[in-house]
Amino acid sequence: MDYRQLRAFIAVFEARNISAAARSIHLSQPALSGSIKALEETLGTTLFVRQARGVAVTEDARALYPEAQRMVADANRLLGRFKGDRERAPLQIGVEQDVSAAVLGKVVLAAAAVLPPVRLQLVTGCMGAVRLASEELRCEDELFLPLHSDPFVLVTAQQATTDVPWITCPAQPSHQRLQPFYNSIVVAEADTFALALELVAAGLGAAIVPESLAVEHRGVRIEPMPQLDLRRRIGLCYSAQALALDGVIQLRDAL
């Protein structure tokens, strides 16, 4: 198990796609696949399962990921020491969809204040040593540090009239709880609350979305829904193994 194999593993784990992972670390696809196969043979386990689109990760891969990150980070620091490289060690934070700029800014400011030896990297999606996400997206083995409690509100276009049709978000964990409030025709569906807000601003209908996202969109009118006692929590998701990485404990404690 060597440095190149671990880098290849991390790239595939984060991209969930062999071709995209190869491009990200400037390797040919056969070379990357060979590194993954050699690593699997060394460990005596399967790390990835090929699918029609990309790959799925196994439980062993999930267990290996934070350890691989730590070992690659340690190797990078060692190389930097002997090469005279004073570059900061990276701390990667994944930002899931539908996180407001205000909550993200809070995390970035805290990181800038307490992580002087670390270079902060923000990436989108389910990636990184820690993730900024809604509690519903937390993995089973992750710890969760709540940072913001977000009520759901009704949003309509500025010129909206009564009895407007609905824009829903079936892919969101809150969808089932919101269904009783959709009392008229559904005109459109969106994968994310951010996309639903764009449809509302275009005058297509009304939607129920988290307040933190609604207040950052100028093209909609916000109405509270006292009859809807529904909130979501946004916070930091991280595994126990991630606490071994530089900066994770400091960031958690600061937040």
Side-chain angles (χ1 to χ4, degrees), residues 82-93:
F82 286 96
K83 289 183 177 180
D85 182 7
R86 295 296 181 259
E87 186 178 13
R88 296 177 175 184
L91 175 63
Q92 196 173 75
I93 299 178

Side-chain angles (χ1 to χ4, degrees), residues 1-248:
M1 183 167 57
D2 61 29
Y3 176 80
R4 288 173 296 180
Q5 292 171 354
L6 292 175
R7 282 188 69 233
F9 164 75
I10 291 171
V12 176
F13 186 95
E14 293 179 345
R16 300 293 203 274
N17 183 281
I18 298 292
S19 299
R23 289 193 299 270
S24 71
I25 58 175
H26 308 292
L27 276 181
S28 68
Q29 187 171 330
L32 183 138
S33 297
S35 292
I36 295 299
K37 183 179 179 180
L39 180 60
E40 289 178 326
E41 290 176 351
T42 298
L43 296 176
T45 188
T46 298
L47 299 172
F48 302 107
V49 179
R50 288 186 177 273
Q51 297 181 324
R53 293 184 178 181
V55 297
V57 301
T58 66
E59 289 303 314
D60 284 339
R62 292 185 184 278
L64 176 62
Y65 178 64
E67 296 296 331
Q69 281 191 311
R70 179 184 59 78
M71 288 188 284
V72 168
D74 287 343
N76 286 335
R77 282 193 297 271
L78 187 61
L79 287 170
R81 175 181 177 183
F82 286 96
K83 289 183 177 180
D85 182 7
R86 295 296 181 259
E87 186 178 13
R88 296 177 175 184
L91 175 63
Q92 196 173 75
I93 299 178
V95 182
E96 295 279 12
Q97 62 188 21
D98 286 330
V99 173
S100 70
V103 177
L104 177 58
K106 178 179 181 179
V107 173
V108 171
L109 287 175
V114 301
L115 302 178
V118 172
R119 183 178 75 254
L120 184 63
Q121 295 178 340
L122 294 183
V123 294
T124 57
C126 184
M127 299 172 63
V130 297
R131 296 184 300 116
L132 187 60
S134 64
E135 190 170 13
E136 294 93 341
L137 297 178
R138 178 178 60 135
C139 297
E140 291 184 3
D141 60 344
E142 284 185 320
L143 303 170
F144 182 75
L145 175 67
L147 302 175
H148 180 74
S149 180
D150 215 358
F152 281 76
V153 295
L154 173 67
V155 291
T156 58
Q158 297 287 10
Q159 301 82 17
T161 59
T162 58
D163 299 324
V164 295
W166 286 102
I167 298 161
T168 64
C169 299
Q172 296 299 317
S174 57
H175 179 67
Q176 293 298 323
R177 291 183 290 171
L178 293 174
Q179 277 192 314
F181 295 90
Y182 301 136
N183 53 12
S184 61
I185 189 171
V186 174
V187 69
E189 296 177 347
D191 276 349
T192 68
F193 292 124
L195 290 175
L197 281 164
E198 295 297 332
L199 295 175
V200 172
L204 202 59
I208 302 174
V209 303
E211 185 180 45
S212 65
L213 295 172
V215 298
E216 294 178 352
H217 201 295
R218 296 183 178 180
V220 300
R221 180 174 59 191
I222 301 172
E223 298 179 21
M225 299 184 68
Q227 74 276 25
L228 176 62
D229 186 20
L230 178 62
R231 290 175 172 267
R232 68 167 188 169
R233 295 202 302 176
I234 298 294
L236 213 61
C237 302
Y238 58 96
S239 66
Q241 296 93 328
L243 295 174
L245 300 175
D246 284 351
V248 173

